[in-house]
Amino acid sequence: MSARARIGVLALQGAFAAHTEVVRRLGREPREVRLPHDLDDCEALVMPGGESTTMSKLLETSQLFDPIAKRIADGMPVFGTCAGMILLASNVLDGRDDQRSFAAIDIDVRRNAYGRQVDSFETDLTLSGDAEPLHAVFIRAPRIERMGANVMALAECDGAPVLVRSTSVMAASFHPELTDDDRVHRMFLELVDTVERR
Ligand code: GLN
């Protein structure tokens, strides 16, 4: 096993504990990432839901932003859910002016775009190539409004992609860590293992 065998979970704010649990349930060692050196033994990183503006600020004060950006540039696989997806997007619409993102995947996302009145909703999605519906929880979710040519939609909701991937990045508008269904995390761990083998 390589020195970097852990699945990092960014643990500055938001729903990180549920991701940590899923990673453990799937037989992998999670590592909560709060400081730059926590990244050292991580082969991949999950960015949870929460509040992207707050996380952006905390990434700077904890001096994690630049080391994470460097690891992403070096090919570390990353998976962002909800606010985490906003942090990974190349372009954030309706963001705060000082909000930063890693531009790790070529998508435009609009914050809180599923409407403030219906803050949260649940629905069944179809995963590409899988007949079994996936129950998905959306909480003040960002909407993907544009996808680059190298980005693939793995699930859609009302005509908009809600789960996407590129070579080493996955992003979801919803919260797969809040349901018992592990398929989305399994997809990410497969991606991690594929990137590792290349
Ligand atoms: N609306 C939040 C944001 O802009 C995301 C919500 C979530 O992660 N559940 O960061």
Side-chain angles (χ1 to χ4, degrees):
M1 194 179 279
S2 78
R4 287 179 166 168
R6 290 190 182 225
I7 305 297
V9 179
L10 185 65
L12 297 175
Q13 190 263 344
F16 56 86
H19 279 289
T20 306
E21 245 168 67
V22 184
V23 169
R24 195 167 281 130
R25 196 160 73 225
L26 293 177
R28 306 290 283 258
E29 270 303 308
R31 152 79 76 211
E32 292 189 352
V33 173
R34 294 189 177 83
L35 295 167
H37 72 79
D38 294 331
L39 277 175
D40 292 350
D41 55 1
C42 296
E43 60 175 339
L45 185 64
V46 178
M47 297 191 187
E51 179 48 57
S52 58
T53 53
T54 309
M55 266 193 257
S56 166
K57 224 176 275 166
L58 293 172
L59 279 163
E60 301 215 63
T61 51
S62 61
Q63 300 188 335
L64 264 171
F65 194 95
D66 292 339
I68 291 177
K70 183 170 185 317
R71 288 293 306 277
I72 293 174
D74 290 345
M76 174 180 69
V78 274
F79 175 31
T81 61
C82 206
M85 174 170 90
I86 297 171
L87 288 174
L88 293 177
S90 52
N91 192 23
V92 179
L93 306 164
D94 291 342
R96 270 178 44 158
D97 287 350
D98 60 351
Q99 158 164 27
R100 293 181 72 189
S101 71
F102 292 103
I105 184 165
D106 187 17
I107 51 175
D108 294 354
V109 300
R110 189 175 297 280
R111 290 179 63 222
N112 304 315
Y114 285 95
R116 284 175 193 276
Q117 299 92 326
V118 234
D119 254 6
S120 308
F121 64 97
E122 301 190 15
T123 189
D124 282 347
L125 305 172
T126 307
L127 285 180
S128 62
D130 193 336
E132 183 74 24
L134 179 88
H135 192 68
V137 179
F138 291 76
I139 305 169
R140 292 186 305 284
R143 190 176 170 98
I144 299 175
E145 298 203 342
R146 186 196 60 84
M147 278 182 7
N150 63 348
V151 180
M152 209 164 60
L154 303 174
E156 298 189 351
C157 176
D158 291 338
V162 290
L163 179 65
V164 294
R165 70 161 287 180
S166 61
T167 311
S168 55
V169 181
M170 260 178 73
S173 305
F174 56 98
H175 284 264
E177 78 285 8
L178 297 183
T179 50
D180 287 339
D181 194 327
D182 294 332
R183 277 176 290 166
V184 177
H185 285 81
R186 282 181 198 278
M187 287 164 92
F188 179 59
L189 294 178
E190 263 166 42
L191 181 155
V192 172
D193 294 340
T194 311
V195 169
E196 180 102 315
R197 276 197 301 273
R198 278 191 308 160

PDB file of all heavy atoms in Angstrom, residues 160-195:
ATOM      1  N   ALA A 160     -31.018  19.067 -15.982  1.00  0.00           N
ATOM      2  CA  ALA A 160     -29.684  19.601 -15.645  1.00  0.00           C
ATOM      3  C   ALA A 160     -28.829  18.482 -15.064  1.00  0.00           C
ATOM      4  O   ALA A 160     -29.324  17.654 -14.295  1.00  0.00           O
ATOM      5  CB  ALA A 160     -29.800  20.731 -14.624  1.00  0.00           C
ATOM      6  N   PRO A 161     -27.540  18.440 -15.425  1.00  0.00           N
ATOM      7  CA  PRO A 161     -26.673  17.436 -14.814  1.00  0.00           C
ATOM      8  C   PRO A 161     -26.536  17.694 -13.314  1.00  0.00           C
ATOM      9  O   PRO A 161     -26.451  18.858 -12.900  1.00  0.00           O
ATOM     10  CB  PRO A 161     -25.327  17.625 -15.517  1.00  0.00           C
ATOM     11  CG  PRO A 161     -25.390  18.968 -16.144  1.00  0.00           C
ATOM     12  CD  PRO A 161     -26.823  19.323 -16.351  1.00  0.00           C
ATOM     13  N   VAL A 162     -26.549  16.646 -12.509  1.00  0.00           N
ATOM     14  CA  VAL A 162     -26.402  16.809 -11.049  1.00  0.00           C
ATOM     15  C   VAL A 162     -25.258  15.960 -10.494  1.00  0.00           C
ATOM     16  O   VAL A 162     -24.912  16.069  -9.323  1.00  0.00           O
ATOM     17  CB  VAL A 162     -27.715  16.485 -10.285  1.00  0.00           C
ATOM     18  CG1 VAL A 162     -28.765  17.555 -10.555  1.00  0.00           C
ATOM     19  CG2 VAL A 162     -28.243  15.103 -10.634  1.00  0.00           C
ATOM     20  N   LEU A 163     -24.686  15.107 -11.347  1.00  0.00           N
ATOM     21  CA  LEU A 163     -23.507  14.323 -10.973  1.00  0.00           C
ATOM     22  C   LEU A 163     -22.629  14.273 -12.213  1.00  0.00           C
ATOM     23  O   LEU A 163     -23.079  13.834 -13.270  1.00  0.00           O
ATOM     24  CB  LEU A 163     -23.911  12.909 -10.537  1.00  0.00           C
ATOM     25  CG  LEU A 163     -22.779  11.967 -10.152  1.00  0.00           C
ATOM     26  CD1 LEU A 163     -22.046  12.469  -8.905  1.00  0.00           C
ATOM     27  CD2 LEU A 163     -23.304  10.544  -9.904  1.00  0.00           C
ATOM     28  N   VAL A 164     -21.410  14.779 -12.088  1.00  0.00           N
ATOM     29  CA  VAL A 164     -20.534  14.880 -13.260  1.00  0.00           C
ATOM     30  C   VAL A 164     -19.142  14.379 -12.905  1.00  0.00           C
ATOM     31  O   VAL A 164     -18.771  14.325 -11.735  1.00  0.00           O
ATOM     32  CB  VAL A 164     -20.430  16.350 -13.768  1.00  0.00           C
ATOM     33  CG1 VAL A 164     -21.760  16.843 -14.314  1.00  0.00           C
ATOM     34  CG2 VAL A 164     -19.905  17.290 -12.678  1.00  0.00           C
ATOM     35  N   ARG A 165     -18.396  14.034 -13.955  1.00  0.00           N
ATOM     36  CA  ARG A 165     -17.003  13.660 -13.716  1.00  0.00           C
ATOM     37  C   ARG A 165     -16.117  14.054 -14.893  1.00  0.00           C
ATOM     38  O   ARG A 165     -16.592  14.210 -16.027  1.00  0.00           O
ATOM     39  CB  ARG A 165     -16.838  12.165 -13.449  1.00  0.00           C
ATOM     40  CG  ARG A 165     -17.074  11.267 -14.633  1.00  0.00           C
ATOM     41  CD  ARG A 165     -16.444   9.896 -14.423  1.00  0.00           C
ATOM     42  NE  ARG A 165     -14.995   9.936 -14.521  1.00  0.00           N
ATOM     43  CZ  ARG A 165     -14.211   8.876 -14.385  1.00  0.00           C
ATOM     44  NH1 ARG A 165     -14.740   7.700 -14.105  1.00  0.00           N
ATOM     45  NH2 ARG A 165     -12.902   8.979 -14.530  1.00  0.00           N
ATOM     46  N   SER A 166     -14.862  14.273 -14.594  1.00  0.00           N
ATOM     47  CA  SER A 166     -13.844  14.394 -15.635  1.00  0.00           C
ATOM     48  C   SER A 166     -12.822  13.303 -15.298  1.00  0.00           C
ATOM     49  O   SER A 166     -13.143  12.358 -14.576  1.00  0.00           O
ATOM     50  CB  SER A 166     -13.231  15.794 -15.616  1.00  0.00           C
ATOM     51  OG  SER A 166     -12.616  16.025 -14.366  1.00  0.00           O
ATOM     52  N   THR A 167     -11.601  13.404 -15.762  1.00  0.00           N
ATOM     53  CA  THR A 167     -10.657  12.315 -15.541  1.00  0.00           C
ATOM     54  C   THR A 167     -10.447  12.017 -14.050  1.00  0.00           C
ATOM     55  O   THR A 167     -10.524  10.870 -13.623  1.00  0.00           O
ATOM     56  CB  THR A 167      -9.285  12.664 -16.167  1.00  0.00           C
ATOM     57  OG1 THR A 167      -9.534  13.107 -17.493  1.00  0.00           O
ATOM     58  CG2 THR A 167      -8.355  11.480 -16.181  1.00  0.00           C
ATOM     59  N   SER A 168     -10.204  13.059 -13.257  1.00  0.00           N
ATOM     60  CA  SER A 168      -9.892  12.792 -11.850  1.00  0.00           C
ATOM     61  C   SER A 168     -10.767  13.581 -10.880  1.00  0.00           C
ATOM     62  O   SER A 168     -10.453  13.658  -9.693  1.00  0.00           O
ATOM     63  CB  SER A 168      -8.403  13.088 -11.587  1.00  0.00           C
ATOM     64  OG  SER A 168      -8.123  14.401 -11.987  1.00  0.00           O
ATOM     65  N   VAL A 169     -11.855  14.153 -11.380  1.00  0.00           N
ATOM     66  CA  VAL A 169     -12.727  14.951 -10.512  1.00  0.00           C
ATOM     67  C   VAL A 169     -14.169  14.485 -10.646  1.00  0.00           C
ATOM     68  O   VAL A 169     -14.647  14.244 -11.760  1.00  0.00           O
ATOM     69  CB  VAL A 169     -12.646  16.462 -10.888  1.00  0.00           C
ATOM     70  CG1 VAL A 169     -13.533  17.294  -9.965  1.00  0.00           C
ATOM     71  CG2 VAL A 169     -11.208  16.959 -10.818  1.00  0.00           C
ATOM     72  N   MET A 170     -14.849  14.348  -9.494  1.00  0.00           N
ATOM     73  CA  MET A 170     -16.299  14.089  -9.505  1.00  0.00           C
ATOM     74  C   MET A 170     -16.975  15.194  -8.708  1.00  0.00           C
ATOM     75  O   MET A 170     -16.411  15.709  -7.735  1.00  0.00           O
ATOM     76  CB  MET A 170     -16.602  12.751  -8.825  1.00  0.00           C
ATOM     77  CG  MET A 170     -16.843  11.605  -9.786  1.00  0.00           C
ATOM     78  SD  MET A 170     -17.136  10.054  -8.899  1.00  0.00           S
ATOM     79  CE  MET A 170     -18.778  10.324  -8.248  1.00  0.00           C
ATOM     80  N   ALA A 171     -18.195  15.563  -9.109  1.00  0.00           N
ATOM     81  CA  ALA A 171     -18.913  16.601  -8.381  1.00  0.00           C
ATOM     82  C   ALA A 171     -20.400  16.310  -8.428  1.00  0.00           C
ATOM     83  O   ALA A 171     -20.930  15.868  -9.455  1.00  0.00           O
ATOM     84  CB  ALA A 171     -18.620  17.975  -8.998  1.00  0.00           C
ATOM     85  N   ALA A 172     -21.073  16.536  -7.288  1.00  0.00           N
ATOM     86  CA  ALA A 172     -22.512  16.277  -7.186  1.00  0.00           C
ATOM     87  C   ALA A 172     -23.214  17.499  -6.600  1.00  0.00           C
ATOM     88  O   ALA A 172     -22.712  18.110  -5.649  1.00  0.00           O
ATOM     89  CB  ALA A 172     -22.762  15.065  -6.285  1.00  0.00           C
ATOM     90  N   SER A 173     -24.381  17.847  -7.169  1.00  0.00           N
ATOM     91  CA  SER A 173     -25.187  18.951  -6.610  1.00  0.00           C
ATOM     92  C   SER A 173     -25.835  18.538  -5.307  1.00  0.00           C
ATOM     93  O   SER A 173     -26.222  19.369  -4.511  1.00  0.00           O
ATOM     94  CB  SER A 173     -26.321  19.330  -7.565  1.00  0.00           C
ATOM     95  OG  SER A 173     -25.859  19.646  -8.819  1.00  0.00           O
ATOM     96  N   PHE A 174     -25.987  17.208  -5.129  1.00  0.00           N
ATOM     97  CA  PHE A 174     -26.749  16.701  -3.992  1.00  0.00           C
ATOM     98  C   PHE A 174     -25.806  16.111  -2.931  1.00  0.00           C
ATOM     99  O   PHE A 174     -24.587  16.293  -3.010  1.00  0.00           O
ATOM    100  CB  PHE A 174     -27.783  15.671  -4.480  1.00  0.00           C
ATOM    101  CG  PHE A 174     -27.186  14.523  -5.251  1.00  0.00           C
ATOM    102  CD1 PHE A 174     -26.920  13.323  -4.635  1.00  0.00           C
ATOM    103  CD2 PHE A 174     -26.889  14.644  -6.611  1.00  0.00           C
ATOM    104  CE1 PHE A 174     -26.361  12.263  -5.325  1.00  0.00           C
ATOM    105  CE2 PHE A 174     -26.339  13.586  -7.323  1.00  0.00           C
ATOM    106  CZ  PHE A 174     -26.066  12.398  -6.680  1.00  0.00           C
ATOM    107  N   HIS A 175     -26.408  15.436  -1.941  1.00  0.00           N
ATOM    108  CA  HIS A 175     -25.640  14.939  -0.784  1.00  0.00           C
ATOM    109  C   HIS A 175     -25.669  13.410  -0.714  1.00  0.00           C
ATOM    110  O   HIS A 175     -26.448  12.847   0.063  1.00  0.00           O
ATOM    111  CB  HIS A 175     -26.253  15.484   0.511  1.00  0.00           C
ATOM    112  CG  HIS A 175     -25.936  16.911   0.774  1.00  0.00           C
ATOM    113  ND1 HIS A 175     -24.902  17.313   1.589  1.00  0.00           N
ATOM    114  CD2 HIS A 175     -26.520  18.044   0.323  1.00  0.00           C
ATOM    115  CE1 HIS A 175     -24.862  18.633   1.638  1.00  0.00           C
ATOM    116  NE2 HIS A 175     -25.834  19.106   0.881  1.00  0.00           N
ATOM    117  N   PRO A 176     -24.830  12.703  -1.471  1.00  0.00           N
ATOM    118  CA  PRO A 176     -24.857  11.235  -1.427  1.00  0.00           C
ATOM    119  C   PRO A 176     -24.452  10.670  -0.070  1.00  0.00           C
ATOM    120  O   PRO A 176     -24.727   9.511   0.224  1.00  0.00           O
ATOM    121  CB  PRO A 176     -23.863  10.826  -2.516  1.00  0.00           C
ATOM    122  CG  PRO A 176     -22.994  12.002  -2.708  1.00  0.00           C
ATOM    123  CD  PRO A 176     -23.802  13.216  -2.372  1.00  0.00           C
ATOM    124  N   GLU A 177     -23.814  11.477   0.765  1.00  0.00           N
ATOM    125  CA  GLU A 177     -23.372  10.981   2.084  1.00  0.00           C
ATOM    126  C   GLU A 177     -24.526  10.917   3.077  1.00  0.00           C
ATOM    127  O   GLU A 177     -24.370  10.370   4.165  1.00  0.00           O
ATOM    128  CB  GLU A 177     -22.228  11.860   2.624  1.00  0.00           C
ATOM    129  CG  GLU A 177     -22.626  13.200   3.227  1.00  0.00           C
ATOM    130  CD  GLU A 177     -23.007  14.267   2.196  1.00  0.00           C
ATOM    131  OE1 GLU A 177     -23.118  13.945   0.988  1.00  0.00           O
ATOM    132  OE2 GLU A 177     -23.226  15.424   2.606  1.00  0.00           O
ATOM    133  N   LEU A 178     -25.691  11.491   2.708  1.00  0.00           N
ATOM    134  CA  LEU A 178     -26.808  11.522   3.656  1.00  0.00           C
ATOM    135  C   LEU A 178     -27.816  10.391   3.458  1.00  0.00           C
ATOM    136  O   LEU A 178     -28.831  10.340   4.146  1.00  0.00           O
ATOM    137  CB  LEU A 178     -27.532  12.872   3.576  1.00  0.00           C
ATOM    138  CG  LEU A 178     -26.696  14.099   3.968  1.00  0.00           C
ATOM    139  CD1 LEU A 178     -27.539  15.367   3.932  1.00  0.00           C
ATOM    140  CD2 LEU A 178     -26.077  13.927   5.357  1.00  0.00           C
ATOM    141  N   THR A 179     -27.554   9.506   2.507  1.00  0.00           N
ATOM    142  CA  THR A 179     -28.420   8.341   2.312  1.00  0.00           C
ATOM    143  C   THR A 179     -27.582   7.075   2.508  1.00  0.00           C
ATOM    144  O   THR A 179     -26.351   7.147   2.530  1.00  0.00           O
ATOM    145  CB  THR A 179     -29.037   8.349   0.889  1.00  0.00           C
ATOM    146  OG1 THR A 179     -27.994   8.541  -0.057  1.00  0.00           O
ATOM    147  CG2 THR A 179     -30.055   9.465   0.734  1.00  0.00           C
ATOM    148  N   ASP A 180     -28.273   5.941   2.617  1.00  0.00           N
ATOM    149  CA  ASP A 180     -27.536   4.689   2.867  1.00  0.00           C
ATOM    150  C   ASP A 180     -26.891   4.124   1.608  1.00  0.00           C
ATOM    151  O   ASP A 180     -26.104   3.194   1.672  1.00  0.00           O
ATOM    152  CB  ASP A 180     -28.487   3.626   3.435  1.00  0.00           C
ATOM    153  CG  ASP A 180     -28.854   3.954   4.868  1.00  0.00           C
ATOM    154  OD1 ASP A 180     -28.093   4.713   5.506  1.00  0.00           O
ATOM    155  OD2 ASP A 180     -29.910   3.474   5.334  1.00  0.00           O
ATOM    156  N   ASP A 181     -27.295   4.660   0.463  1.00  0.00           N
ATOM    157  CA  ASP A 181     -26.843   4.134  -0.823  1.00  0.00           C
ATOM    158  C   ASP A 181     -25.399   4.589  -1.094  1.00  0.00           C
ATOM    159  O   ASP A 181     -25.129   5.780  -1.201  1.00  0.00           O
ATOM    160  CB  ASP A 181     -27.794   4.686  -1.908  1.00  0.00           C
ATOM    161  CG  ASP A 181     -27.646   3.973  -3.217  1.00  0.00           C
ATOM    162  OD1 ASP A 181     -26.520   3.547  -3.541  1.00  0.00           O
ATOM    163  OD2 ASP A 181     -28.669   3.850  -3.923  1.00  0.00           O
ATOM    164  N   ASP A 182     -24.492   3.621  -1.197  1.00  0.00           N
ATOM    165  CA  ASP A 182     -23.065   3.957  -1.318  1.00  0.00           C
ATOM    166  C   ASP A 182     -22.569   4.106  -2.753  1.00  0.00           C
ATOM    167  O   ASP A 182     -21.371   4.294  -2.979  1.00  0.00           O
ATOM    168  CB  ASP A 182     -22.214   2.829  -0.701  1.00  0.00           C
ATOM    169  CG  ASP A 182     -22.414   2.722   0.787  1.00  0.00           C
ATOM    170  OD1 ASP A 182     -22.732   3.749   1.402  1.00  0.00           O
ATOM    171  OD2 ASP A 182     -22.248   1.607   1.319  1.00  0.00           O
ATOM    172  N   ARG A 183     -23.488   3.988  -3.723  1.00  0.00           N
ATOM    173  CA  ARG A 183     -22.987   3.856  -5.104  1.00  0.00           C
ATOM    174  C   ARG A 183     -22.140   5.027  -5.583  1.00  0.00           C
ATOM    175  O   ARG A 183     -21.168   4.842  -6.318  1.00  0.00           O
ATOM    176  CB  ARG A 183     -24.163   3.627  -6.078  1.00  0.00           C
ATOM    177  CG  ARG A 183     -24.588   2.168  -6.134  1.00  0.00           C
ATOM    178  CD  ARG A 183     -25.788   1.997  -7.021  1.00  0.00           C
ATOM    179  NE  ARG A 183     -26.973   2.585  -6.393  1.00  0.00           N
ATOM    180  CZ  ARG A 183     -28.112   2.816  -7.043  1.00  0.00           C
ATOM    181  NH1 ARG A 183     -28.208   2.546  -8.328  1.00  0.00           N
ATOM    182  NH2 ARG A 183     -29.146   3.327  -6.405  1.00  0.00           N
ATOM    183  N   VAL A 184     -22.495   6.243  -5.177  1.00  0.00           N
ATOM    184  CA  VAL A 184     -21.744   7.400  -5.684  1.00  0.00           C
ATOM    185  C   VAL A 184     -20.327   7.406  -5.093  1.00  0.00           C
ATOM    186  O   VAL A 184     -19.344   7.643  -5.804  1.00  0.00           O
ATOM    187  CB  VAL A 184     -22.504   8.714  -5.396  1.00  0.00           C
ATOM    188  CG1 VAL A 184     -21.680   9.907  -5.847  1.00  0.00           C
ATOM    189  CG2 VAL A 184     -23.858   8.716  -6.106  1.00  0.00           C
ATOM    190  N   HIS A 185     -20.226   7.100  -3.801  1.00  0.00           N
ATOM    191  CA  HIS A 185     -18.887   7.021  -3.200  1.00  0.00           C
ATOM    192  C   HIS A 185     -18.074   5.868  -3.805  1.00  0.00           C
ATOM    193  O   HIS A 185     -16.869   5.985  -3.990  1.00  0.00           O
ATOM    194  CB  HIS A 185     -18.982   6.868  -1.673  1.00  0.00           C
ATOM    195  CG  HIS A 185     -19.355   8.145  -0.973  1.00  0.00           C
ATOM    196  ND1 HIS A 185     -20.650   8.578  -0.879  1.00  0.00           N
ATOM    197  CD2 HIS A 185     -18.588   9.086  -0.364  1.00  0.00           C
ATOM    198  CE1 HIS A 185     -20.665   9.735  -0.223  1.00  0.00           C
ATOM    199  NE2 HIS A 185     -19.446  10.059   0.105  1.00  0.00           N
ATOM    200  N   ARG A 186     -18.760   4.763  -4.101  1.00  0.00           N
ATOM    201  CA  ARG A 186     -18.042   3.648  -4.750  1.00  0.00           C
ATOM    202  C   ARG A 186     -17.477   4.082  -6.091  1.00  0.00           C
ATOM    203  O   ARG A 186     -16.363   3.715  -6.466  1.00  0.00           O
ATOM    204  CB  ARG A 186     -18.986   2.466  -4.984  1.00  0.00           C
ATOM    205  CG  ARG A 186     -19.257   1.655  -3.754  1.00  0.00           C
ATOM    206  CD  ARG A 186     -20.184   0.485  -4.106  1.00  0.00           C
ATOM    207  NE  ARG A 186     -20.796  -0.040  -2.922  1.00  0.00           N
ATOM    208  CZ  ARG A 186     -20.202  -0.914  -2.101  1.00  0.00           C
ATOM    209  NH1 ARG A 186     -19.008  -1.375  -2.405  1.00  0.00           N
ATOM    210  NH2 ARG A 186     -20.813  -1.321  -1.022  1.00  0.00           N
ATOM    211  N   MET A 187     -18.286   4.873  -6.836  1.00  0.00           N
ATOM    212  CA  MET A 187     -17.808   5.372  -8.140  1.00  0.00           C
ATOM    213  C   MET A 187     -16.549   6.202  -7.944  1.00  0.00           C
ATOM    214  O   MET A 187     -15.591   6.113  -8.703  1.00  0.00           O
ATOM    215  CB  MET A 187     -18.882   6.245  -8.810  1.00  0.00           C
ATOM    216  CG  MET A 187     -20.050   5.473  -9.363  1.00  0.00           C
ATOM    217  SD  MET A 187     -21.442   6.573  -9.705  1.00  0.00           S
ATOM    218  CE  MET A 187     -21.130   6.969 -11.366  1.00  0.00           C
ATOM    219  N   PHE A 188     -16.560   7.033  -6.885  1.00  0.00           N
ATOM    220  CA  PHE A 188     -15.380   7.873  -6.652  1.00  0.00           C
ATOM    221  C   PHE A 188     -14.169   7.005  -6.296  1.00  0.00           C
ATOM    222  O   PHE A 188     -13.067   7.232  -6.803  1.00  0.00           O
ATOM    223  CB  PHE A 188     -15.646   8.921  -5.570  1.00  0.00           C
ATOM    224  CG  PHE A 188     -14.449   9.781  -5.294  1.00  0.00           C
ATOM    225  CD1 PHE A 188     -13.879  10.548  -6.313  1.00  0.00           C
ATOM    226  CD2 PHE A 188     -13.843   9.810  -4.042  1.00  0.00           C
ATOM    227  CE1 PHE A 188     -12.742  11.330  -6.092  1.00  0.00           C
ATOM    228  CE2 PHE A 188     -12.715  10.587  -3.814  1.00  0.00           C
ATOM    229  CZ  PHE A 188     -12.158  11.350  -4.832  1.00  0.00           C
ATOM    230  N   LEU A 189     -14.367   5.997  -5.445  1.00  0.00           N
ATOM    231  CA  LEU A 189     -13.225   5.162  -5.054  1.00  0.00           C
ATOM    232  C   LEU A 189     -12.690   4.386  -6.261  1.00  0.00           C
ATOM    233  O   LEU A 189     -11.480   4.173  -6.382  1.00  0.00           O
ATOM    234  CB  LEU A 189     -13.622   4.228  -3.913  1.00  0.00           C
ATOM    235  CG  LEU A 189     -13.944   4.945  -2.594  1.00  0.00           C
ATOM    236  CD1 LEU A 189     -14.387   3.948  -1.528  1.00  0.00           C
ATOM    237  CD2 LEU A 189     -12.758   5.768  -2.089  1.00  0.00           C
ATOM    238  N   GLU A 190     -13.582   4.010  -7.186  1.00  0.00           N
ATOM    239  CA  GLU A 190     -13.119   3.375  -8.430  1.00  0.00           C
ATOM    240  C   GLU A 190     -12.266   4.344  -9.234  1.00  0.00           C
ATOM    241  O   GLU A 190     -11.227   3.985  -9.779  1.00  0.00           O
ATOM    242  CB  GLU A 190     -14.318   2.942  -9.290  1.00  0.00           C
ATOM    243  CG  GLU A 190     -14.679   1.491  -9.109  1.00  0.00           C
ATOM    244  CD  GLU A 190     -16.050   1.187  -9.699  1.00  0.00           C
ATOM    245  OE1 GLU A 190     -16.353   1.680 -10.807  1.00  0.00           O
ATOM    246  OE2 GLU A 190     -16.828   0.478  -9.031  1.00  0.00           O
ATOM    247  N   LEU A 191     -12.757   5.591  -9.318  1.00  0.00           N
ATOM    248  CA  LEU A 191     -11.990   6.627 -10.027  1.00  0.00           C
ATOM    249  C   LEU A 191     -10.609   6.787  -9.375  1.00  0.00           C
ATOM    250  O   LEU A 191      -9.594   6.847 -10.058  1.00  0.00           O
ATOM    251  CB  LEU A 191     -12.791   7.933  -9.982  1.00  0.00           C
ATOM    252  CG  LEU A 191     -12.243   9.191 -10.658  1.00  0.00           C
ATOM    253  CD1 LEU A 191     -13.399  10.126 -11.012  1.00  0.00           C
ATOM    254  CD2 LEU A 191     -11.266   9.924  -9.781  1.00  0.00           C
ATOM    255  N   VAL A 192     -10.569   6.828  -8.043  1.00  0.00           N
ATOM    256  CA  VAL A 192      -9.300   6.973  -7.322  1.00  0.00           C
ATOM    257  C   VAL A 192      -8.361   5.827  -7.693  1.00  0.00           C
ATOM    258  O   VAL A 192      -7.191   6.041  -8.022  1.00  0.00           O
ATOM    259  CB  VAL A 192      -9.537   6.984  -5.787  1.00  0.00           C
ATOM    260  CG1 VAL A 192      -8.212   6.948  -5.023  1.00  0.00           C
ATOM    261  CG2 VAL A 192     -10.349   8.207  -5.375  1.00  0.00           C
ATOM    262  N   ASP A 193      -8.891   4.600  -7.677  1.00  0.00           N
ATOM    263  CA  ASP A 193      -8.047   3.440  -7.968  1.00  0.00           C
ATOM    264  C   ASP A 193      -7.588   3.446  -9.424  1.00  0.00           C
ATOM    265  O   ASP A 193      -6.476   3.026  -9.730  1.00  0.00           O
ATOM    266  CB  ASP A 193      -8.788   2.150  -7.624  1.00  0.00           C
ATOM    267  CG  ASP A 193      -9.025   2.039  -6.114  1.00  0.00           C
ATOM    268  OD1 ASP A 193      -8.315   2.724  -5.355  1.00  0.00           O
ATOM    269  OD2 ASP A 193      -9.919   1.284  -5.702  1.00  0.00           O
ATOM    270  N   THR A 194      -8.435   3.929 -10.322  1.00  0.00           N
ATOM    271  CA  THR A 194      -8.056   3.991 -11.747  1.00  0.00           C
ATOM    272  C   THR A 194      -6.946   5.018 -11.955  1.00  0.00           C
ATOM    273  O   THR A 194      -5.972   4.752 -12.643  1.00  0.00           O
ATOM    274  CB  THR A 194      -9.278   4.423 -12.611  1.00  0.00           C
ATOM    275  OG1 THR A 194     -10.382   3.623 -12.235  1.00  0.00           O
ATOM    276  CG2 THR A 194      -8.992   4.244 -14.082  1.00  0.00           C
ATOM    277  N   VAL A 195      -7.109   6.191 -11.339  1.00  0.00           N
ATOM    278  CA  VAL A 195      -6.091   7.248 -11.490  1.00  0.00           C
ATOM    279  C   VAL A 195      -4.768   6.748 -10.924  1.00  0.00           C
ATOM    280  O   VAL A 195      -3.716   6.943 -11.502  1.00  0.00           O
ATOM    281  CB  VAL A 195      -6.553   8.546 -10.783  1.00  0.00           C
ATOM    282  CG1 VAL A 195      -5.417   9.554 -10.681  1.00  0.00           C
ATOM    283  CG2 VAL A 195      -7.734   9.161 -11.522  1.00  0.00           C
TER     284      VAL A 195
END
